[in-house]
């Protein structure tokens, strides 16, 4: 009798679950991932004056009684019509004026008035209202933030749903219990940027994408619910698909899960088994399957082939949840004797470290700008990107996956306290399916910790976390301690060297079993288009000669790398200039000189050194330009970077001598300046290649060069427009400094301007609608974000004494 009752109860529960699941298994119950970037309101608060911070924490205490927020800006019906309309991603700091304060934090963050010294600029409030149909009331709802800088608090309909102090990790919150169906809902976020995390420009605000997700009560976990990795077996690959589920329903759940693979075009090519899943009430369960992929195409830098895996969760044959992701099939090998191998082929890591900000937009980059920047790096010959010193935005990793760029993914801090261990877990769970990631980094230059026993124990913990979540990769740590085998270096699988390259040989000799990579190298400081040191305007010459005491030139580190087969290569500091750290100067500098390209992505001279030896392209570059009025007869140092075998230099047709190009080097001539034409003639593999620089006349005409002329009308797409000027003979004027004004007509918006000048205090964002920027070294840049409707756009550029130019862009319907 007892057994019978139990069976009846069990059958009743299963039937109840089956009916419930069947009802939810209709199309409306399938997982959705809705972009939530549009329709936000923004207002600055105040870090020390509650009357200017919407009385936050005073009077009606928002944490005293759940949901009692009447009369506050968190209330559903608060009148926010005076707030500013914004579209995410949004960085409120980039629009602030530059301000000099003698303070190390302000200096290192690019002289933007944010932080403890500027309470009036350091709190931001965001509001968004939205509706959810009553027909969707059977779903669960989750709000996902890809990045908020910094310490944030989130409310839905007056109910506090959670907070997040990291400025870089993604975070999500289940908001199901707080949703009002068929009524207005209010999502409110308070962002506190009074405290910095790094020593570089970080911005502030909801500066990455936001999403509203919905799914069934029984569903794949949002964090790490799908993990796919592949082992190569000759021509085939064994693809392992690991899925994890959770049950937020009212009873235990019985279901099945099945995964299948598609090619890059979505064609189904292999299927796994349909496996049973039992998930306890409020519990989790995991299932692992293996699928054979015949004749697998390997993901490589030149052929970044991406497959897709789709996993289906079913009840009674009906799909109640599905997830999918892209993945690549490839192998990584790290040898202490022979260096790094990708898919069995030896490869030097030709990498760059990068911060995440860009001219004009700060840290709030449109997705297209991520792809634009990665394309520029690949054009230079870069094959690896280090995400310094924090988790990147997911779209950067998508770009690296799609375009073929290896990634060293770095967490924010080396510490194993609960919060920072969780940050490492979140990073790995979020990013581990990306084909581009070949190595994790558990930290960077932790002076107080890295060479101690505490550092060793922290590292051991973080490494165990990494291996438990992703056994397919290795980790390194960016150590600036030279030939030291203490603390972190005792346990790290791959030793990372930050500079100190003089100690490489001794370290390798003492520890020949440990693979070695340059996690941060070079650090040449140069100012694009400036070839004479200028301590007033804080410029350094655009040659590979100036570097801080801890660093080296590009040529020095690359020659060291090439002579040591066991040294994997490394990551030059940095791919692009960035706001903050204006070494070797301070004010009036507001950004670094470290970049191989400036903040707009315009190449400096050292770019062509790397491109010469990192690519097989025909490279023949002359520096400087040849506009030197007033210096007639004076000596000018001329650098030639090329991968040709020899170069002969001519001035106005007269030979200045022929020289052989040293491998991984450059050539120099000292030339007495005469206006005219300086020409280099080189021989490469039996072919003649030529390049020249020429004295120009005054600027006469504006040229607008877009990264693309067609955008999707989705409110998210973007194009980068580079600006230059030509003289009457059609020659680009390399030292022009004209002020250029921009007017855009059509359903789109200019969202930022820049010119790469590290001492320019012109605004990145022109809030009065009158967009303009001066040329620096003959160049400027603006970024246009698409609108929401198909339209023809006209960008007009004008300048005093210059022929204007109209650029026609098209905006087409699509997602």
């Amino acid at each position: 009798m007892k057994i019978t009752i139990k069976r009846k109860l069990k059958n009743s529960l299963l039937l109840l679950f089956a009916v419930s699941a069947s009802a939810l298994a209709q199309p409306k119950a399938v997982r959705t991932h809705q972009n939530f970037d549009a329709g936000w309101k923004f207002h600055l608060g105040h870090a020390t004056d509650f009357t200017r911070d919407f009385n936050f924490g005073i009077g009606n205490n928002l944490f005293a009684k759940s949901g009692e927020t009447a009369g506050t800006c968190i209330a559903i019906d608060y009148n926010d019509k005076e707030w500013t309309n914004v579209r995410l991603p949004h960085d409120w700091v980039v629009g602030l004026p530059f301000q000099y304060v003698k303070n190390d934090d302000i200096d290192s963050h690019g002289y933007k008035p944010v932080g403890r010294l500027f309470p009036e600029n350091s709190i931001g409030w965001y509001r968004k209202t939205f509706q959810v149909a009553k027909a969707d009331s059977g779903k669960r709802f989750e709000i996902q933030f890809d990045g908020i800088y910094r310490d944030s608090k989130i409310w839905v309909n007056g109910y506090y749903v959670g907070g997040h102090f990291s400025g870089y990790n993604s975070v999500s919150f289940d908001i199901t219990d707080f949703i009002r169906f068929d009524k207005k809902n209010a999502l409110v976020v308070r962002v506190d940027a009074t405290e910095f995390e790094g020593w570089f420009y970080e911005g502030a605000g909801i500066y990455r994408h936001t999403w509203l997700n919905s799914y069934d009560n029984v569903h794949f976990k949002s964090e790490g619910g799908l993990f796919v990795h592949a082992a190569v077996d000759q021509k085939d690959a064994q693809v392992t698909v690991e899925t994890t589920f959770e049950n937020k329903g009212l009873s235990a759940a019985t279901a099945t899960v099945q995964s299948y693979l598609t090619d890059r075009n979505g064609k189904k090519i292999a299927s796994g088994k349909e496996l049973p899943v039992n998930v306890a009430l409020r519990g989790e369960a995991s299932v692992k399957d293996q699928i054979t992929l015949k004749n697998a195409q390997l993901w490589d830098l030149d052929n970044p082939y991406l497959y897709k895996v789709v996993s289906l969760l079913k009840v009674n044959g009906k799909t109640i949840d599905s997830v999918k992701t892209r993945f690549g099939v490839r192998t990584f090998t790290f040898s202490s004797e022979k260096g790094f191998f990708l898919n069995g082929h030896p490869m030097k890591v030709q990498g760059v470290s990068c911060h995440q900000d860009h001219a004009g937009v700060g840290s709030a980059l449109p997705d297209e700008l991520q792809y634009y920047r990665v394309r520029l790096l690949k054009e230079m010959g870069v094959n690896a990107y280090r995400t310094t010193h924090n988790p990147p935005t997911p779209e950067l990793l998508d770009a690296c996956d799609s375009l073929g760029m290896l990634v060293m993914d770095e967490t924010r801090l080396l510490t194993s306290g609960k919060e920072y261990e969780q940050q490492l877990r979140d990073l790995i769970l979020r990013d581990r399916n990306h084909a581009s990631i070949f190595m994790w980094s558990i930290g960077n230059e932790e002076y107080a910790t890295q060479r101690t026993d505490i550092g060793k124990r922290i590292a051991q913990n973080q490494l165990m976390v990494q291996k438990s979540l992703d056994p397919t990769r290795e980790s390194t740590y960016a150590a600036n301690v030279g030939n030291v085998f203490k603390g972190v270096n005792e346990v790290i699988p791959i030793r990372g060297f930050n500079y100190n390259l003089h100690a490489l040989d001794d370290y390798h000799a003492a520890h020949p079993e440990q693979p070695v990579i340059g996690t941060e190298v070079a650090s040449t400081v140069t100012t694009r288009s400036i070839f004479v040191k200028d301590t007033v305007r804080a410029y350094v010459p655009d040659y590979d000669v100036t570097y801080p005491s801890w660093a080296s030139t590009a040529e020095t580190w690359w020659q060291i790398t090439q002579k040591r087969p066991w040294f994997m290569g490394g990551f030059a500091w940095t791919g692009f200039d960035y706001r903050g750290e204006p070494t070797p100067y301070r004010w009036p500098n507001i950004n670094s000189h470290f970049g191989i390209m400036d903040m707009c992505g315009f190449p400096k001279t050292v770019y062509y050194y790397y491109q010469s030896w990192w690519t097989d392209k025909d490279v023949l570059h002359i520096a400087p330009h040849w506009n030197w009025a007033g210096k007639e007869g004076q000596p000018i140092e001329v650098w030639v970077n090329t991968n040709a075998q020899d170069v002969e230099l001519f001035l106005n047709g007269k030979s200045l001598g022929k020289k052989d190009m040293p491998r991984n080097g450059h050539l120099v001539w000292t030339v007495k300046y005469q206006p005219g034409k300086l020409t280099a003639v080189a021989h490469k593999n039996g072919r003649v290649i030529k390049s020249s620089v020429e004295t120009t006349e005054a600027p006469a005409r504006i040229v607008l060069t877009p990264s693309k002329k067609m955008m999707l009308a989705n409110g998210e797409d973007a194009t980068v427009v580079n600006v230059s000027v030509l003289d009457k003979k059609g020659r680009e004027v390399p030292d022009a400094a004209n002020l250029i004004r921009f007017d855009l007509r059509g359903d789109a918006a200019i969202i930022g301007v820049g010119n790469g000048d590290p001492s320019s205090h012109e605004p990145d964002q022109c809030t009065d609608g009158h967009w303009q920027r001066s040329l620096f070294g003959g160049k400027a840049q603006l970024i246009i974000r698409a609108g929401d409707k198909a339209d023809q756009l006209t960008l007009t550029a004008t300048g005093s004494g210059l022929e204007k130019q109209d650029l026609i862009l098209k905006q087409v319907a699509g997602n």
Side-chain angles (χ1 to χ4, degrees):
M1 184 68 180
K2 213 171 184 181
I3 294 174
T4 303
I5 292 174
K6 281 188 175 180
R7 284 178 178 167
K8 284 184 177 179
L9 180 60
K10 179 180 179 182
N11 290 338
S12 296
L13 288 173
L14 289 175
L15 179 62
L16 175 64
F17 174 74
V19 171
S20 174
S22 177
L24 293 174
Q26 302 306 311
K28 69 183 181 65
V30 174
R31 177 181 294 260
T32 64
H33 183 59
Q34 178 187 348
N35 183 284
F36 230 43
D37 289 346
W40 288 84
K41 294 277 195 173
F42 172 76
H43 201 293
L44 283 173
H46 201 284
T48 59
D49 183 350
F50 71 89
T51 65
R52 297 166 63 186
D53 197 34
F54 303 99
N55 292 321
F56 179 72
I58 299 293
N60 186 356
N61 191 321
L62 298 173
F63 299 101
K65 293 287 186 179
S66 182
E68 292 189 8
T69 57
T72 73
C73 67
I74 295 164
I76 297 172
D77 295 322
Y78 177 80
N79 185 352
D80 57 16
K81 69 177 183 179
E82 301 299 324
W83 291 31
T84 302
N85 295 316
V86 298
R87 184 163 196 150
L88 308 183
H90 178 245
D91 174 1
W92 83 68
V93 171
V94 70
L96 297 175
F98 298 101
Q99 184 171 336
Y100 174 69
V101 174
K102 190 175 182 180
N103 174 274
D104 287 343
D105 276 338
I106 303 305
D107 164 81
S108 62
H109 284 76
Y111 296 102
K112 288 291 187 177
V114 66
R116 293 285 183 197
L117 298 179
F118 302 96
E120 70 279 9
N121 294 330
S122 300
I123 302 292
W125 287 87
Y126 292 85
R127 285 179 52 88
K128 178 182 173 71
T129 59
F130 61 100
Q131 286 198 335
V132 178
K134 192 172 184 178
D136 292 328
S137 61
K139 299 181 180 181
R140 299 210 71 81
F141 292 88
E142 174 187 80
I143 187 71
Q144 173 187 329
F145 297 95
D146 285 344
I148 304 174
Y149 196 87
R150 185 184 169 268
D151 193 4
S152 58
K153 291 178 171 53
I154 297 98
W155 291 264
V156 172
N157 294 332
Y159 291 89
Y160 180 66
V161 298
H164 193 57
F165 82 95
S166 169
Y168 297 100
N169 278 70
S170 302
V171 65
S172 58
F173 301 95
D174 188 321
I175 61 171
T176 307
D177 296 344
F178 314 115
I179 294 291
R180 304 187 336 155
F181 296 98
D182 283 345
K183 295 181 179 179
K184 182 170 73 172
N185 294 274
L187 171 61
V188 180
V189 182
R190 183 180 187 265
V191 183
D192 184 345
T194 56
E195 189 173 358
F196 301 124
E197 285 195 53
W199 50 98
F200 39 84
Y201 179 88
E202 297 177 284
I206 309 178
Y207 72 101
R208 295 179 182 171
H209 291 305
T210 300
W211 310 88
L212 181 66
N213 303 322
S214 68
Y215 39 73
D216 195 89
N217 282 318
V218 183
H219 55 267
F220 295 96
K221 286 196 68 176
S222 296
E223 295 85 16
L226 174 61
F227 179 31
V228 56
H229 49 95
V232 179
D233 181 13
Q234 296 181 346
K235 291 184 178 181
D236 300 336
Q238 294 300 317
V239 180
T240 300
V241 182
E242 302 180 37
T243 47
T244 303
F245 322 89
E246 63 181 351
N247 179 6
K248 293 291 184 70
L250 299 176
S251 62
T254 300
T256 63
V257 63
Q258 186 174 27
S259 301
Y260 63 88
L261 309 181
T262 79
D263 64 13
R264 62 171 28 153
N265 298 314
K267 179 183 177 182
K268 191 173 180 178
I269 54 177
S271 293
K273 298 180 286 292
E274 190 163 5
L275 301 170
V277 180
N278 296 298
V279 192
L281 173 63
R282 297 288 164 168
E284 294 183 8
S286 296
V287 169
K288 183 184 293 188
D289 194 14
Q290 279 200 336
I291 306 173
T292 299
L293 179 59
K294 294 289 187 180
N295 298 313
Q297 290 202 50
L298 299 186
W299 182 93
D300 209 334
L301 303 181
D302 297 322
N303 179 34
Y305 193 93
L306 294 170
Y307 292 95
K308 296 176 184 176
V309 60
V310 180
S311 296
L312 305 176
L313 185 64
K314 299 179 181 180
V315 170
N316 295 332
K318 294 184 177 180
T319 300
I320 63 168
D321 196 12
S322 65
V323 289
K324 63 181 178 180
T325 191
R326 302 187 304 175
F327 72 98
V329 178
R330 69 282 184 270
T331 64
F332 306 133
T333 305
F334 306 95
S335 169
S336 61
E337 297 179 355
K338 298 181 180 179
F340 173 64
F341 293 74
L342 175 61
N343 298 328
H345 302 292
M347 177 182 295
K348 286 291 188 184
V349 173
Q350 299 169 177
V352 290
S353 298
C354 291
H355 287 305
Q356 63 178 1
D357 61 309
H358 189 90
V361 293
S363 295
L365 277 66
D367 296 352
E368 174 62 24
L369 194 49
Q370 305 287 358
Y371 286 82
Y372 179 79
R373 284 162 62 96
V374 173
R375 289 189 194 102
L376 292 178
L377 293 170
K378 282 187 69 73
E379 182 72 15
M380 187 179 88
V382 173
N383 61 22
Y385 186 113
R386 175 178 171 229
T387 67
T388 47
H389 302 288
N390 48 262
T393 184
E395 289 70 35
L396 170 69
L397 300 178
D398 290 341
C400 292
D401 289 345
S402 299
L403 300 176
M405 176 75 72
L406 295 169
V407 174
M408 178 182 287
D409 202 350
E410 187 164 279
T411 193
R412 179 64 206 94
L413 281 178
L414 176 71
T415 181
S416 54
K418 183 177 181 180
E419 290 174 331
Y420 281 100
E421 180 184 300
Q422 188 61 46
Q423 284 193 24
L424 179 62
R425 288 180 181 276
D426 290 344
L427 170 68
I428 295 172
L429 289 173
R430 188 197 69 174
D431 293 350
R432 60 187 179 177
N433 290 324
H434 285 280
S436 55
I437 297 173
F438 78 118
M439 193 184 303
W440 304 103
S441 171
I442 64 170
N444 171 77
E445 295 186 359
E446 301 281 356
Y447 302 110
T449 305
Q450 59 189 1
R451 59 197 301 171
T452 67
D453 186 61
I454 290 176
K456 176 181 176 180
R457 282 178 274 149
I458 291 173
Q460 285 174 322
N461 182 83
Q462 301 301 74
L463 291 171
M464 287 189 289
V465 168
Q466 180 255 298
K467 280 298 184 182
S468 70
L469 300 175
D470 177 20
T472 71
R473 296 179 179 89
E474 298 292 349
S475 284
T476 189
Y477 167 78
N480 58 330
V481 292
N483 184 16
V484 173
F485 190 71
K486 291 181 179 180
V488 177
N489 290 340
E490 295 180 70
V491 296
I492 201 74
I494 298 170
R495 167 65 202 273
F497 262 79
N498 276 21
Y499 313 108
N500 294 287
L501 299 185
H502 61 278
L504 274 175
D505 291 338
D506 288 343
Y507 186 88
H508 178 64
H511 310 286
E513 74 294 338
Q514 192 178 38
V516 179
I517 190 170
T519 37
E520 193 169 310
V521 291
S523 279
T524 301
V525 285
T526 60
T527 307
R528 178 184 61 81
S529 79
I530 302 296
F531 294 91
V532 178
K533 184 177 181 179
D534 186 336
T535 57
V536 175
R537 290 181 292 180
Y539 298 148
V540 283
D542 195 7
Y543 300 111
D544 184 24
V545 294
T546 309
Y547 55 92
S549 60
W550 67 82
S552 70
T553 65
E555 190 168 317
T556 298
W557 94 264
W558 187 242
Q559 289 186 357
I560 288 172
T561 300
Q562 287 296 87
K563 293 174 183 176
R564 292 158 176 80
W566 48 267
F567 187 43
M568 294 185 207
F571 295 86
W573 188 262
T574 51
F576 302 88
D577 280 342
Y578 53 94
R579 286 276 189 256
E581 283 199 301
T583 308
Y585 305 109
R586 295 201 172 193
W587 184 267
N589 269 180
I590 43 78
N591 68 250
S592 80
H593 297 271
F594 290 116
I596 299 166
M597 290 176 273
D598 68 16
M599 287 199 64
C600 295
F602 298 135
K604 304 179 185 180
T605 300
V606 71
Y607 173 101
Y608 299 98
Y609 171 78
Y610 285 116
Q611 191 179 54
S612 294
W613 305 115
W614 285 5
T615 75
D616 293 326
K617 300 175 184 184
D618 289 347
V619 180
L620 182 58
H621 180 264
I622 304 169
H625 57 74
W626 212 238
N627 283 9
W628 296 101
K631 290 195 174 185
E632 288 78 6
Q634 297 182 29
I636 302 289
E637 192 171 276
V638 175
W639 284 43
V640 174
N641 281 300
T642 183
N643 47 18
Q645 281 81 43
D646 58 58
V647 180
E648 188 170 7
L649 194 66
F650 296 85
L651 177 58
N652 296 328
K654 180 180 179 181
S655 176
L656 302 178
K658 184 176 182 180
K659 299 184 180 185
D660 292 333
M661 171 59 67
R663 184 70 185 170
N664 299 310
H666 71 285
L667 296 174
V668 180
W669 282 261
T670 300
V671 181
K672 289 185 178 180
Y673 176 65
Q674 296 175 8
K677 192 172 187 177
L678 192 63
T679 302
V681 179
H683 294 88
K684 183 181 179 184
N685 301 326
R687 295 180 292 108
V688 175
I689 55 177
K690 296 182 180 181
S691 181
S692 62
V693 291
E694 190 171 357
T695 308
T696 70
E697 298 175 5
R701 179 166 65 88
I702 301 170
V703 176
L704 301 174
T705 307
S707 60
K708 60 183 184 183
K709 291 186 176 181
M710 185 176 292
M711 294 187 292
L712 295 176
N714 59 5
E716 300 286 340
D717 203 0
T719 187
V720 179
V721 181
N722 291 329
V723 186
S724 56
V725 288
L726 306 181
D727 68 6
K728 291 181 180 179
K729 295 183 179 180
R731 300 170 298 191
E732 186 171 305
V733 182
D735 56 347
N738 306 68
L739 178 66
I740 311 295
R741 296 180 176 85
F742 307 103
D743 178 63
L744 180 64
R745 298 184 296 280
D747 183 42
I750 301 172
I751 59 172
V753 290
N755 62 11
D757 182 354
S759 294
S760 174
H761 300 159
E762 293 179 277
D764 291 279
Q765 298 182 345
C766 304
T767 54
D768 61 357
H770 296 92
W771 288 89
Q772 61 183 35
R773 190 69 174 202
S774 297
L775 301 175
F776 176 70
K779 297 183 183 296
Q781 183 180 88
L782 67 151
I783 300 165
I784 297 173
R785 186 178 63 203
D788 295 303
K789 65 181 182 181
D791 201 358
Q792 176 172 292
L793 311 176
T794 302
L795 175 67
T796 300
T798 58
S800 179
L802 299 173
E803 179 185 336
K804 75 170 185 178
Q805 185 178 12
D806 288 334
L807 174 67
I808 304 300
L809 302 169
K810 290 190 180 297
Q811 211 162 254
V812 298
N815 296 317

